[in-house]
Amino acid sequence: MEGSDGANHIEGYLSAAGRSFAVVASRFNDFVVRALLDGALDAVRRHGGEAGAVDVVWVPGSYEIPVVARELARSGRYDAIICLGAVIRGSTAHFDYVAGGVAGGISSVALETGLPVIFGIITTENIEQAIERAGTKMGNKGFEAAVTAIEMADLMPKVRERGGPAA
Ligand code: INI
């Protein structure tokens, strides 16, 4: 698309129709993560997708998310992977290890596989802040993560087509 500045702008649109997604969800703090999942499925439906086109895989804690995301990304069955978890500092002495591990792991999987792997992990100081980000006054980070997945799923094929090796 040519923008008003004369450059060629490439961007993803927010249509989930015909797209397949996997969600990797952490059972730790699951009362928060279930609200994030509700938000993510709502986002898929509101953007023309079907809940039946979403597979949800549950793992024990956020630290386990990257290894499962990697398997799912490598399967070739999905247009994007959405990772959902809640790492709350008040609940653990090893917050930094869990939060850092899951963030670095998700980023590595995305770079290794070339698939959008979306960081829908809430990292907060306390439970109140987590609840605020799971469908109350700060919105729903699961919804936002799914919208990002939908946009990236549309963007990546366009980037490959545009940026791939010349024929
Ligand atoms: N996992 C979370 O997803 N959130 C947390 O807040 C958390 N805390 O508090 O410890 C947490 N820990 C478990 C961790 O993700 C792993 O499951 C565990 O260390 C085993 O590898």
Side-chain angles (χ1 to χ4, degrees), residues 26-29 33 59-65 84-95 98 121-122:
S26 160
R27 227 180 291 111
F28 206 104
N29 295 321
V33 178
V59 296
S62 293
Y63 199 79
E64 284 69 47
I65 288 175
L84 301 178
V87 189
I88 302 175
R89 189 184 292 275
S91 352
T92 177
H94 57 289
F95 173 94
V98 176
I121 315 292
I122 295 177

Side-chain angles (χ1 to χ4, degrees), residues 71-155:
E71 280 306 304
L72 295 167
R74 286 161 60 98
S75 73
R77 289 201 301 270
Y78 305 104
D79 298 296
I81 313 289
I82 302 162
C83 300
L84 301 178
V87 189
I88 302 175
R89 189 184 292 275
S91 352
T92 177
H94 57 289
F95 173 94
D96 293 315
Y97 296 109
V98 176
V102 64
I106 286 173
S107 155
S108 298
V109 173
L111 294 175
E112 179 204 321
T113 61
L115 200 74
V117 185
I118 309 304
F119 187 75
I121 315 292
I122 295 177
T123 57
T124 63
E125 293 299 315
N126 53 50
I127 287 171
E128 289 71 27
Q129 289 178 354
I131 291 169
E132 284 171 8
R133 289 158 178 76
T136 60
K137 67 181 180 185
M138 300 287 287
N140 186 311
K141 297 299 170 193
F143 187 100
E144 290 176 21
V147 171
T148 303
I150 292 164
E151 179 173 341
M152 289 298 291
D154 192 65
L155 176 65

Side-chain angles (χ1 to χ4, degrees), residues 33-48:
V33 178
R34 281 182 192 277
L36 298 179
L37 177 60
D38 287 347
L41 296 177
D42 188 37
V44 170
R45 280 190 297 259
R46 282 169 183 258
H47 290 87

